[in-house]
Coordinates of all heavy atoms in Angstrom, one line a residue:
M2 N 3.5 -18.6 -21.1 CA 3.2 -17.2 -20.7 C 3.7 -17.0 -19.3 O 3.7 -17.9 -18.4 CB 1.7 -17.1 -20.7 CG 1.2 -15.7 -20.3 SD -0.6 -15.7 -20.3 CE -0.9 -14.1 -19.6
S3 N 4.3 -15.8 -19.1 CA 4.9 -15.5 -17.8 C 3.8 -15.3 -16.7 O 2.7 -14.8 -17.1 CB 5.7 -14.2 -17.9 OG 6.1 -13.8 -16.6
T4 N 4.0 -15.7 -15.5 CA 3.0 -15.5 -14.5 C 3.5 -14.6 -13.4 O 3.1 -14.6 -12.3 CB 2.7 -16.9 -13.8 OG1 3.9 -17.5 -13.3 CG2 2.0 -17.8 -14.8
N5 N 4.4 -13.7 -13.8 CA 5.0 -12.8 -12.7 C 3.9 -11.8 -12.3 O 2.9 -11.6 -13.0 CB 6.3 -12.1 -13.2 CG 6.1 -11.2 -14.3 OD1 5.0 -10.6 -14.5 ND2 7.1 -11.0 -15.1
I6 N 4.2 -11.1 -11.3 CA 3.2 -10.2 -10.6 C 2.8 -9.0 -11.6 O 1.6 -8.6 -11.6 CB 3.7 -9.6 -9.3 CG1 2.7 -8.8 -8.5 CG2 5.0 -8.7 -9.5 CD1 1.6 -9.7 -8.0
D7 N 3.7 -8.6 -12.4 CA 3.3 -7.5 -13.3 C 2.2 -7.9 -14.3 O 1.3 -7.2 -14.6 CB 4.6 -7.0 -14.2 CG 5.6 -6.3 -13.3 OD1 5.1 -5.7 -12.3 OD2 6.8 -6.4 -13.6
N8 N 2.3 -9.2 -14.8 CA 1.3 -9.7 -15.7 C 0.0 -9.9 -14.9 O -1.1 -9.6 -15.4 CB 1.7 -11.0 -16.3 CG 2.7 -10.8 -17.4 OD1 2.8 -9.7 -17.9 ND2 3.5 -11.8 -17.7
K9 N 0.1 -10.4 -13.7 CA -1.1 -10.5 -12.8 C -1.8 -9.2 -12.7 O -3.1 -9.1 -12.7 CB -0.8 -11.1 -11.5 CG -0.2 -12.5 -11.5 CD -1.4 -13.5 -11.4 CE -0.8 -14.9 -11.3 NZ -1.7 -15.9 -11.8
L10 N -1.1 -8.1 -12.5 CA -1.7 -6.8 -12.2 C -2.5 -6.3 -13.4 O -3.4 -5.6 -13.2 CB -0.6 -5.8 -11.9 CG 0.1 -6.0 -10.6 CD1 1.3 -5.0 -10.4 CD2 -0.8 -5.9 -9.4
Y11 N -2.2 -6.8 -14.6 CA -3.0 -6.4 -15.8 C -4.4 -7.0 -15.7 O -5.3 -6.5 -16.4 CB -2.3 -6.9 -17.1 CG -1.1 -6.0 -17.5 CD1 0.1 -6.6 -17.6 CD2 -1.4 -4.7 -17.8 CE1 1.2 -5.8 -18.0 CE2 -0.3 -3.9 -18.2 CZ 1.0 -4.4 -18.3 OH 2.0 -3.6 -18.7
T12 N -4.6 -8.0 -14.9 CA -5.9 -8.6 -14.9 C -6.8 -8.0 -13.8 O -7.9 -8.4 -13.6 CB -5.8 -10.1 -14.5 OG1 -5.4 -10.3 -13.2 CG2 -4.9 -10.9 -15.5
L13 N -6.4 -6.9 -13.2 CA -7.1 -6.2 -12.2 C -7.8 -5.0 -12.7 O -7.3 -4.3 -13.6 CB -6.2 -5.8 -11.0 CG -5.4 -7.0 -10.4 CD1 -4.5 -6.5 -9.3 CD2 -6.4 -8.1 -9.8
K14 N -8.9 -4.7 -12.1 CA -9.6 -3.4 -12.5 C -9.8 -2.6 -11.2 O -10.1 -3.1 -10.2 CB -11.0 -3.8 -13.0 CG -11.8 -2.7 -13.6 CD -13.1 -3.2 -14.2 CE -14.2 -2.7 -13.3 NZ -15.4 -3.4 -13.3
Y15 N -9.5 -1.3 -11.4 CA -9.5 -0.4 -10.2 C -10.6 0.6 -10.4 O -10.9 1.1 -11.4 CB -8.2 0.3 -10.0 CG -7.0 -0.5 -9.7 CD1 -6.2 -1.0 -10.7 CD2 -6.7 -0.8 -8.4 CE1 -5.1 -1.8 -10.4 CE2 -5.5 -1.5 -8.1 CZ -4.8 -2.0 -9.1 OH -3.6 -2.8 -8.8
S16 N -11.2 0.9 -9.2 CA -12.1 2.1 -9.2 C -11.6 2.9 -8.1 O -11.8 2.6 -6.9 CB -13.6 1.7 -8.9 OG -14.4 2.8 -8.7
T17 N -10.9 4.0 -8.4 CA -10.1 4.7 -7.4 C -11.0 5.6 -6.6 O -11.8 6.4 -7.1 CB -9.0 5.5 -8.1 OG1 -8.2 4.6 -8.9 CG2 -8.1 6.1 -7.1
D18 N -10.8 5.5 -5.3 CA -11.4 6.4 -4.4 C -10.6 7.7 -4.3 O -9.4 7.7 -4.7 CB -11.5 5.8 -3.0 CG -12.6 6.4 -2.1 OD1 -13.1 7.4 -2.5 OD2 -12.9 5.8 -1.1
T19 N -11.2 8.8 -3.9 CA -10.5 10.1 -3.8 C -9.7 10.2 -2.5 O -8.8 10.9 -2.4 CB -11.4 11.3 -3.9 OG1 -12.5 11.1 -3.0 CG2 -12.0 11.4 -5.3
E20 N -10.1 9.4 -1.5 CA -9.5 9.4 -0.2 C -8.8 8.1 0.0 O -9.3 7.0 -0.2 CB -10.5 9.7 0.8 CG -9.9 10.0 2.2 CD -11.0 10.1 3.3 OE1 -12.2 10.2 2.9 OE2 -10.6 10.0 4.5
S21 N -7.6 8.2 0.6 CA -6.8 7.0 0.8 C -7.4 6.1 1.9 O -7.9 6.6 2.9 CB -5.4 7.3 1.2 OG -4.7 6.2 1.5
H22 N -7.5 4.8 1.7 CA -8.0 3.9 2.7 C -6.8 3.4 3.6 O -7.0 2.6 4.4 CB -8.7 2.7 2.1 CG -7.8 1.9 1.2 ND1 -7.4 2.3 -0.1 CD2 -7.3 0.6 1.3 CE1 -6.6 1.4 -0.6 NE2 -6.6 0.4 0.2
L23 N -5.6 3.9 3.2 CA -4.4 3.6 4.0 C -3.8 4.8 4.6 O -3.6 5.8 3.8 CB -3.3 3.0 3.0 CG -3.8 1.8 2.2 CD1 -2.8 1.5 1.1 CD2 -3.9 0.5 3.1
K24 N -3.6 4.8 5.9 CA -3.0 6.0 6.5 C -1.9 5.6 7.5 O -2.0 4.5 8.1 CB -4.1 6.8 7.3 CG -5.1 7.4 6.4 CD -6.1 8.3 7.2 CE -7.1 9.0 6.3 NZ -8.1 8.2 5.7
I25 N -0.9 6.5 7.6 CA 0.1 6.3 8.6 C -0.3 7.1 9.8 O -0.6 8.3 9.7 CB 1.5 6.8 8.1 CG1 1.9 6.2 6.8 CG2 2.5 6.7 9.2 CD1 2.5 4.9 6.8
T26 N -0.5 6.4 10.9 CA -1.0 7.1 12.1 C 0.1 7.9 12.9 O -0.2 8.7 13.7 CB -1.6 6.1 13.1 OG1 -0.6 5.1 13.4 CG2 -2.8 5.4 12.5
D27 N 1.4 7.5 12.7 CA 2.4 8.2 13.4 C 3.7 8.3 12.5 O 4.5 7.3 12.4 CB 2.8 7.5 14.7 CG 3.7 8.3 15.6 OD1 4.4 9.2 15.1 OD2 3.8 7.9 16.8
K28 N 3.8 9.4 11.8 CA 4.9 9.5 10.8 C 6.3 9.5 11.5 O 7.3 9.1 10.9 CB 4.8 10.8 10.0 CG 3.6 10.8 9.1 CD 3.5 12.0 8.2 CE 2.3 11.9 7.3 NZ 2.1 13.2 6.5
E29 N 6.4 10.0 12.7 CA 7.6 10.0 13.4 C 8.2 8.5 13.6 O 9.4 8.3 13.5 CB 7.4 10.6 14.8 CG 8.7 10.7 15.7 CD 9.8 11.5 15.0 OE1 9.5 12.4 14.1 OE2 11.0 11.3 15.3
K30 N 7.2 7.6 13.8 CA 7.7 6.2 13.9 C 8.3 5.7 12.6 O 9.2 4.8 12.6 CB 6.5 5.3 14.4 CG 6.1 5.6 15.8 CD 5.4 4.5 16.5 CE 5.3 4.7 18.0 NZ 4.1 4.4 18.5
C31 N 7.8 6.2 11.5 CA 8.4 5.8 10.2 C 9.8 6.3 10.1 O 10.7 5.6 9.5 CB 7.5 6.3 9.0 SG 5.9 5.5 8.9
R32 N 10.0 7.5 10.6 CA 11.4 8.1 10.6 C 12.3 7.2 11.4 O 13.5 7.1 11.0 CB 11.4 9.5 11.1 CG 10.7 10.4 10.1 CD 10.7 11.9 10.5 NE 9.8 12.6 9.7 CZ 8.6 13.1 10.2 NH1 8.3 13.1 11.5 NH2 7.8 13.7 9.4
L33 N 11.8 6.6 12.5 CA 12.7 5.8 13.3 C 12.7 4.3 12.9 O 13.5 3.6 13.4 CB 12.1 5.9 14.8 CG 12.1 7.3 15.4 CD1 11.4 7.3 16.7 CD2 13.5 7.8 15.6
C34 N 11.9 4.0 11.9 CA 11.8 2.6 11.5 C 13.0 2.2 10.7 O 13.3 2.9 9.7 CB 10.5 2.4 10.7 SG 10.3 0.8 9.9
T35 N 13.7 1.2 11.1 CA 14.9 0.8 10.4 C 14.7 -0.2 9.2 O 15.4 -0.2 8.3 CB 16.0 0.2 11.3 OG1 15.3 -0.9 12.0 CG2 16.5 1.2 12.3
S36 N 13.6 -0.9 9.3 CA 13.4 -1.9 8.3 C 12.7 -1.4 7.0 O 13.0 -1.8 5.9 CB 12.5 -3.1 8.8 OG 11.2 -2.6 9.0
K37 N 11.8 -0.4 7.2 CA 11.0 0.1 6.1 C 10.3 -1.1 5.4 O 10.3 -1.2 4.1 CB 11.8 0.9 5.1 CG 12.5 2.1 5.7 CD 11.6 3.3 6.1 CE 12.3 4.5 6.5 NZ 13.0 4.5 7.8
N38 N 9.8 -2.0 6.2 CA 9.3 -3.3 5.6 C 8.2 -3.0 4.6 O 8.0 -3.7 3.6 CB 8.7 -4.1 6.7 CG 9.7 -5.0 7.4 OD1 10.7 -5.3 6.8 ND2 9.4 -5.5 8.6
C39 N 7.4 -2.0 4.8 CA 6.3 -1.7 3.9 C 6.7 -1.5 2.5 O 6.0 -1.8 1.5 CB 5.5 -0.5 4.4 SG 6.5 1.0 4.5
T40 N 7.9 -0.9 2.3 CA 8.4 -0.6 1.0 C 8.9 -1.9 0.2 O 9.1 -1.9 -1.0 CB 9.6 0.4 1.0 OG1 10.7 -0.2 1.7 CG2 9.1 1.7 1.7
Y41 N 9.1 -3.0 1.0 CA 9.5 -4.2 0.4 C 8.4 -5.2 0.2 O 8.3 -6.0 -0.7 CB 10.6 -4.9 1.2 CG 11.8 -4.0 1.4 CD1 12.1 -3.4 2.6 CD2 12.7 -3.8 0.3 CE1 13.2 -2.6 2.7 CE2 13.8 -3.0 0.5 CZ 14.1 -2.4 1.7 OH 15.2 -1.6 1.8
I42 N 7.5 -5.3 1.2 CA 6.5 -6.3 1.3 C 5.3 -6.1 0.3 O 4.7 -7.1 -0.2 CB 5.9 -6.5 2.7 CG1 5.3 -7.8 2.9 CG2 4.9 -5.4 3.0 CD1 6.2 -8.9 3.3
C43 N 5.0 -4.9 0.0 CA 3.8 -4.6 -0.9 C 4.1 -5.1 -2.3 O 5.0 -4.6 -3.0 CB 3.5 -3.1 -0.8 SG 2.1 -2.7 -1.9
P44 N 3.2 -6.0 -2.8 CA 3.4 -6.4 -4.2 C 3.1 -5.4 -5.2 O 3.5 -5.5 -6.4 CB 2.4 -7.6 -4.3 CG 1.4 -7.3 -3.3 CD 2.1 -6.6 -2.1
A45 N 2.4 -4.3 -4.8 CA 2.0 -3.3 -5.8 C 2.8 -2.0 -5.6 O 2.5 -1.0 -6.2 CB 0.5 -3.0 -5.6
K46 N 3.8 -2.1 -4.8 CA 4.7 -0.9 -4.6 C 4.0 0.3 -4.1 O 4.2 1.4 -4.7 CB 5.6 -0.7 -5.8 CG 6.5 -1.9 -6.2 CD 7.3 -1.5 -7.4 CE 8.3 -2.7 -7.8 NZ 7.6 -3.9 -8.2
V47 N 3.1 0.1 -3.2 CA 2.2 1.3 -2.8 C 3.1 2.2 -1.9 O 2.9 3.4 -1.9 CB 1.0 0.7 -2.0 CG1 0.3 1.8 -1.2 CG2 0.0 0.1 -3.0
Y48 N 4.0 1.7 -1.1 CA 4.7 2.5 -0.2 C 6.1 2.9 -0.7 O 6.9 2.0 -1.2 CB 4.9 1.8 1.2 CG 3.6 1.5 1.8 CD1 3.0 0.2 1.6 CD2 3.0 2.4 2.6 CE1 1.8 -0.1 2.2 CE2 1.8 2.1 3.2 CZ 1.2 0.9 3.0 OH 0.0 0.6 3.6
E49 N 6.4 4.2 -0.6 CA 7.8 4.6 -1.1 C 8.3 5.5 0.0 O 7.6 6.4 0.5 CB 7.7 5.5 -2.3 CG 7.4 4.7 -3.6 CD 7.3 5.7 -4.8 OE1 8.2 6.4 -5.1 OE2 6.1 5.8 -5.3
W50 N 9.5 5.4 0.4 CA 10.2 6.2 1.3 C 10.7 7.5 0.6 O 11.5 7.3 -0.4 CB 11.3 5.5 2.0 CG 12.1 6.4 3.0 CD1 13.4 6.8 2.9 CD2 11.6 7.0 4.2 NE1 13.8 7.6 3.9 CE2 12.7 7.7 4.8 CE3 10.4 7.0 4.9 CZ2 12.6 8.4 5.9 CZ3 10.3 7.7 6.0 CH2 11.3 8.4 6.6
N51 N 10.4 8.6 1.0 CA 10.9 9.9 0.5 C 11.9 10.4 1.4 O 11.6 11.0 2.4 CB 9.7 10.9 0.3 CG 10.2 12.2 -0.4 OD1 11.4 12.6 -0.2 ND2 9.3 12.8 -1.2
P52 N 13.2 10.3 1.0 CA 14.3 10.8 1.9 C 14.3 12.3 2.1 O 14.8 12.7 3.1 CB 15.6 10.3 1.1 CG 15.2 10.0 -0.2 CD 13.7 9.7 -0.3
D53 N 13.8 13.0 1.1 CA 13.8 14.5 1.3 C 12.8 14.9 2.4 O 13.1 15.7 3.3 CB 13.4 15.2 -0.1 CG 14.5 14.8 -1.1 OD1 15.7 14.7 -0.7 OD2 14.1 14.7 -2.3
S54 N 11.6 14.4 2.3 CA 10.5 14.8 3.3 C 10.6 13.9 4.5 O 9.9 14.2 5.5 CB 9.2 14.9 2.6 OG 8.8 13.5 2.2
Q55 N 11.4 12.9 4.4 CA 11.5 11.9 5.5 C 10.1 11.3 5.9 O 9.7 11.3 7.1 CB 12.1 12.6 6.8 CG 13.6 12.9 6.6 CD 14.4 11.7 6.7 OE1 14.5 11.0 7.7 NE2 15.1 11.3 5.6
E56 N 9.4 10.9 4.9 CA 8.1 10.3 5.1 C 7.8 9.3 4.1 O 8.3 9.3 3.0 CB 7.0 11.3 5.3 CG 6.7 12.1 4.0 CD 5.7 13.2 4.3 OE1 5.3 13.5 5.4 OE2 5.2 13.8 3.2
I57 N 6.8 8.4 4.4 CA 6.3 7.4 3.5 C 5.3 8.0 2.5 O 4.3 8.7 3.0 CB 5.7 6.2 4.2 CG1 6.8 5.4 5.0 CG2 4.9 5.3 3.3 CD1 7.7 4.6 4.2
I58 N 5.5 7.8 1.3 CA 4.4 8.2 0.3 C 3.6 7.0 0.0 O 4.1 5.9 -0.1 CB 5.1 8.7 -1.0 CG1 6.0 9.9 -0.8 CG2 4.0 9.0 -2.1 CD1 6.9 10.2 -1.9
I59 N 2.3 7.2 0.0 CA 1.3 6.1 -0.1 C 0.6 6.2 -1.5 O -0.2 7.1 -1.6 CB 0.3 6.0 1.0 CG1 1.0 6.0 2.4 CG2 -0.6 4.8 0.8 CD1 0.1 6.0 3.5
N60 N 0.9 5.3 -2.4 CA 0.2 5.3 -3.7 C -1.0 4.4 -3.6 O -1.0 3.3 -4.2 CB 1.2 4.8 -4.8 CG 2.5 5.7 -4.9 OD1 2.4 6.9 -5.1 ND2 3.6 5.1 -4.7
F61 N -2.0 4.8 -2.8 CA -3.1 4.0 -2.4 C -3.9 3.5 -3.6 O -4.5 2.4 -3.5 CB -4.0 4.7 -1.4 CG -4.8 5.8 -2.0 CD1 -6.1 5.5 -2.4 CD2 -4.3 7.1 -2.1 CE1 -6.9 6.5 -2.9 CE2 -5.1 8.1 -2.6 CZ -6.4 7.8 -3.0
E62 N -3.8 4.2 -4.7 CA -4.6 3.8 -5.9 C -4.2 2.4 -6.4 O -5.0 1.7 -7.0 CB -4.4 4.8 -7.0 CG -4.7 6.2 -6.7 CD -3.5 6.9 -6.2 OE1 -2.5 6.3 -5.7 OE2 -3.5 8.2 -6.2
N63 N -3.0 2.0 -6.1 CA -2.5 0.7 -6.6 C -2.7 -0.5 -5.7 O -2.4 -1.6 -6.0 CB -1.0 0.8 -6.9 CG -0.6 1.8 -7.9 OD1 -1.5 2.2 -8.7 ND2 0.6 2.4 -7.8
C64 N -3.4 -0.2 -4.5 CA -3.5 -1.3 -3.5 C -4.3 -2.5 -4.0 O -5.4 -2.3 -4.6 CB -4.1 -0.7 -2.3 SG -4.4 -1.9 -1.0
L65 N -3.9 -3.7 -3.7 CA -4.6 -4.9 -4.1 C -5.4 -5.5 -2.9 O -6.0 -6.5 -3.1 CB -3.5 -6.0 -4.5 CG -2.5 -5.5 -5.6 CD1 -1.5 -6.6 -5.8 CD2 -3.3 -5.3 -6.9
E66 N -5.4 -4.8 -1.8 CA -6.1 -5.1 -0.6 C -5.8 -6.5 -0.1 O -6.6 -7.3 0.3 CB -7.7 -5.0 -0.9 CG -8.1 -3.6 -1.3 CD -9.4 -3.5 -1.9 OE1 -10.3 -4.4 -1.6 OE2 -9.7 -2.6 -2.7
C67 N -4.5 -6.8 -0.2 CA -4.0 -8.1 0.3 C -3.8 -8.1 1.8 O -3.8 -9.2 2.4 CB -2.7 -8.5 -0.4 SG -1.3 -7.6 0.1
G68 N -3.6 -7.0 2.4 CA -3.4 -6.9 3.9 C -2.0 -7.1 4.4 O -1.8 -7.1 5.6
A69 N -1.1 -7.4 3.5 CA 0.3 -7.8 4.0 C 1.0 -6.7 4.7 O 1.7 -6.9 5.7 CB 1.1 -8.2 2.8
C70 N 0.7 -5.4 4.3 CA 1.5 -4.3 5.0 C 1.1 -4.2 6.4 O 1.9 -3.8 7.3 CB 1.2 -3.0 4.2 SG -0.5 -2.6 4.0
R71 N -0.2 -4.5 6.8 CA -0.6 -4.4 8.2 C 0.2 -5.3 9.0 O 0.5 -5.0 10.2 CB -2.1 -4.8 8.3 CG -3.0 -3.7 8.1 CD -4.4 -4.1 8.5 NE -4.9 -5.3 7.8 CZ -6.1 -5.7 7.9 NH1 -7.0 -5.1 8.6 NH2 -6.5 -6.8 7.2
I72 N 0.5 -6.5 8.5 CA 1.2 -7.5 9.3 C 2.7 -7.1 9.3 O 3.4 -7.2 10.3 CB 1.0 -8.9 8.7 CG1 -0.4 -9.2 8.7 CG2 1.9 -9.9 9.4 CD1 -0.8 -10.4 7.8
A73 N 3.2 -6.6 8.2 CA 4.6 -6.3 8.0 C 5.1 -5.1 8.7 O 6.3 -5.0 9.1 CB 5.0 -6.2 6.5
C74 N 4.3 -4.1 9.0 CA 4.7 -2.9 9.6 C 5.2 -3.2 11.0 O 4.4 -3.5 11.9 CB 3.6 -1.9 9.6 SG 4.0 -0.4 10.5
E75 N 6.5 -2.9 11.2 CA 7.0 -3.3 12.6 C 6.5 -2.4 13.7 O 6.6 -2.8 14.8 CB 8.6 -3.3 12.5 CG 9.1 -1.9 12.3 CD 10.7 -1.9 12.4 OE1 11.3 -2.8 11.8 OE2 11.2 -1.0 13.1
K76 N 6.0 -1.2 13.4 CA 5.6 -0.3 14.4 C 4.1 -0.2 14.5 O 3.5 0.6 15.3 CB 6.3 1.0 14.3 CG 7.8 0.9 14.4 CD 8.5 2.2 14.5 CE 10.0 2.1 14.6 NZ 10.5 1.5 15.8
K77 N 3.4 -1.0 13.6 CA 1.9 -1.0 13.6 C 1.3 0.4 13.5 O 0.4 0.8 14.3 CB 1.4 -1.7 14.9 CG 1.9 -3.1 15.1 CD 1.5 -4.1 14.0 CE 2.1 -5.4 14.0 NZ 2.5 -6.0 12.8
V78 N 1.8 1.1 12.6 CA 1.2 2.5 12.4 C 0.4 2.6 11.1 O 0.0 3.7 10.7 CB 2.4 3.6 12.4 CG1 3.0 3.6 13.7 CG2 3.4 3.3 11.3
I79 N 0.1 1.5 10.4 CA -0.7 1.6 9.2 C -2.1 1.3 9.6 O -2.5 0.3 10.1 CB -0.2 0.5 8.2 CG1 1.2 0.9 7.7 CG2 -1.2 0.5 7.0 CD1 1.8 -0.2 6.7
D80 N -2.9 2.4 9.3 CA -4.4 2.3 9.6 C -5.0 1.9 8.2 O -4.9 2.6 7.2 CB -4.9 3.7 10.0 CG -6.4 3.7 10.2 OD1 -7.0 2.6 10.3 OD2 -7.0 4.7 10.1
W81 N -5.6 0.7 8.2 CA -6.0 0.0 7.0 C -7.5 -0.2 7.0 O -8.0 -0.9 7.9 CB -5.2 -1.3 6.9 CG -5.1 -2.0 5.5 CD1 -4.0 -2.0 4.7 CD2 -6.2 -2.8 4.9 NE1 -4.3 -2.8 3.6 CE2 -5.6 -3.2 3.7 CE3 -7.5 -3.1 5.2 CZ2 -6.3 -4.0 2.8 CZ3 -8.2 -3.9 4.3 CH2 -7.6 -4.3 3.2
Q82 N -8.2 0.4 6.1 CA -9.6 0.2 6.0 C -9.9 -0.4 4.6 O -9.2 0.0 3.7 CB -10.4 1.5 6.1 CG -10.0 2.4 7.3 CD -10.6 1.8 8.6 OE1 -11.7 1.2 8.6 NE2 -9.9 2.1 9.7
Y83 N -11.0 -1.1 4.4 CA -11.4 -1.5 3.1 C -11.9 -0.2 2.4 O -12.6 0.6 3.0 CB -12.5 -2.6 3.1 CG -11.9 -4.0 3.2 CD1 -12.0 -4.7 4.3 CD2 -11.3 -4.5 2.1 CE1 -11.5 -6.0 4.4 CE2 -10.8 -5.8 2.2 CZ -10.9 -6.5 3.3 OH -10.4 -7.8 3.4
P84 N -11.6 -0.1 1.1 CA -12.2 1.1 0.4 C -13.7 1.1 0.4 O -14.3 0.0 0.5 CB -11.7 0.9 -1.1 CG -10.5 0.0 -0.9 CD -10.7 -0.9 0.3
K85 N -14.3 2.2 0.4 CA -15.7 2.4 0.6 C -16.5 1.7 -0.6 O -16.0 1.8 -1.8 CB -16.1 3.8 0.6 CG -15.5 4.7 1.7 CD -16.2 6.0 1.8 CE -15.9 7.0 0.7 NZ -14.6 7.6 0.8
G86 N -17.6 1.1 -0.3 CA -18.6 0.7 -1.4 C -17.9 -0.1 -2.5 O -17.3 -1.1 -2.3
T87 N -18.1 0.5 -3.7 CA -17.6 -0.2 -4.9 C -16.2 0.2 -5.3 O -15.7 -0.1 -6.3 CB -18.5 0.1 -6.1 OG1 -18.5 1.6 -6.3 CG2 -19.9 -0.4 -5.9
K88 N -15.5 1.0 -4.4 CA -14.2 1.5 -4.7 C -13.2 0.4 -4.4 O -13.5 -0.6 -3.8 CB -13.8 2.7 -3.9 CG -14.8 3.9 -4.0 CD -14.8 4.4 -5.4 CE -15.7 5.6 -5.6 NZ -15.9 6.0 -7.0
G89 N -12.0 0.6 -5.0 CA -10.9 -0.3 -4.8 C -10.8 -1.3 -5.9 O -11.2 -1.0 -7.0
V90 N -10.1 -2.4 -5.6 CA -9.8 -3.4 -6.7 C -10.9 -4.4 -6.9 O -11.6 -4.8 -6.0 CB -8.4 -4.0 -6.4 CG1 -8.6 -5.0 -5.2 CG2 -7.8 -4.7 -7.5
T91 N -11.0 -4.8 -8.2 CA -11.9 -5.9 -8.5 C -11.1 -7.0 -9.2 O -10.3 -6.7 -10.1 CB -13.0 -5.4 -9.5 OG1 -13.7 -4.4 -9.0 CG2 -14.0 -6.6 -9.8
F92 N -11.2 -8.2 -8.7 CA -10.5 -9.3 -9.3 C -11.3 -10.0 -10.4 O -12.3 -10.6 -10.1 CB -10.1 -10.4 -8.2 CG -9.1 -9.8 -7.2 CD1 -9.5 -9.1 -6.1 CD2 -7.7 -9.9 -7.4 CE1 -8.7 -8.5 -5.2 CE2 -6.8 -9.4 -6.5 CZ -7.3 -8.7 -5.4
K93 N -10.8 -9.9 -11.6 CA -11.6 -10.4 -12.8 C -11.3 -11.9 -12.9 O -10.2 -12.4 -12.6 CB -11.2 -9.7 -14.0 CG -11.7 -8.3 -14.1 CD -11.6 -7.7 -15.5 CE -10.2 -7.1 -15.7 NZ -10.1 -6.4 -17.0
Q94 N -12.3 -12.7 -13.4 CA -12.1 -14.1 -13.6 C -11.5 -14.4 -14.9 O -11.7 -13.6 -15.9 CB -13.5 -14.8 -13.5 CG -14.2 -14.6 -12.2 CD -13.5 -15.4 -11.1 OE1 -13.1 -16.5 -11.2 NE2 -13.4 -14.7 -9.9
G95 N -10.7 -15.5 -15.0 CA -10.2 -15.9 -16.3 C -9.1 -15.2 -16.9 O -8.6 -14.2 -16.5
Ligands
SF4_6 S1 7.1 -0.5 8.1 FE1 5.6 0.7 9.2 S2 6.8 2.1 10.6 FE2 8.2 1.2 9.0 S3 8.2 2.8 7.4 FE3 6.7 1.3 6.9 S4 4.7 2.1 7.7 FE4 6.5 3.2 8.7
SF4_7 S1 -2.8 -4.2 1.4 FE1 -1.3 -5.3 0.1 S2 -1.3 -4.2 -1.9 FE2 -2.4 -2.9 -0.4 S3 -0.8 -1.5 0.4 FE3 -0.9 -3.2 1.8 S4 0.7 -4.7 1.0 FE4 0.3 -3.2 -0.6

């Protein structure tokens, strides 16, 4: 059986919040960011660069709460909170 990330994602259960727990605090810094690290580091492909609007789109519903984007963002503009209460991802056993 394959153990790639796509298969792992099938073992997760989400309870989506209506409000994003991930926010960009300064969109201008994203425009100036040359690495766009967030679009590569996230295992759930939460961040997408939109060349038309020149901003990062955040698909926060898919977040696995791993925290990697906070570390990877070169300009430290990701405001990252744990989802409220029972919202967010649940890691199932087995
Ligand atoms: S790595 Fe940080 S600054 Fe760069 S595009 Fe992503 S969120 Fe914006
Ligand atoms: S916490 Fe992890 S899964 Fe969530 S957006 Fe950041 S890198 Fe992606």
Side-chain angles (χ1 to χ4, degrees):
M2 183 180 169
S3 172
T4 56
N5 68 29
I6 187 70
D7 290 331
N8 285 338
K9 293 276 188 204
L10 291 176
Y11 281 121
T12 68
L13 304 177
K14 192 176 110 205
Y15 294 92
S16 173
T17 305
D18 203 345
T19 50
E20 189 186 345
S21 177
H22 62 290
L23 305 165
K24 291 189 177 71
I25 305 278
T26 58
D27 188 342
K28 290 182 180 177
E29 183 58 27
K30 290 206 170 139
C31 293
R32 290 183 194 111
L33 299 171
C34 173
T35 53
S36 72
K37 303 285 190 288
N38 274 341
C39 59
T40 64
Y41 300 107
I42 200 83
C43 175
K46 299 182 176 66
V47 166
Y48 299 94
E49 287 177 65
W50 176 246
N51 183 328
D53 297 328
S54 63
Q55 291 285 297
E56 62 184 14
I57 292 284
I58 297 166
I59 305 177
N60 302 304
F61 71 93
E62 305 89 340
N63 298 335
C64 176
L65 306 171
E66 298 164 30
C67 72
C70 54
R71 272 193 302 188
I72 298 162
C74 174
E75 66 172 46
K76 298 189 183 296
K77 303 296 174 218
V78 294
I79 296 176
D80 177 19
W81 197 105
Q82 310 283 334
Y83 274 107
K85 301 192 289 283
T87 58
K88 303 297 183 188
V90 69
T91 304
F92 293 88
K93 290 194 272 187
Q94 299 293 316

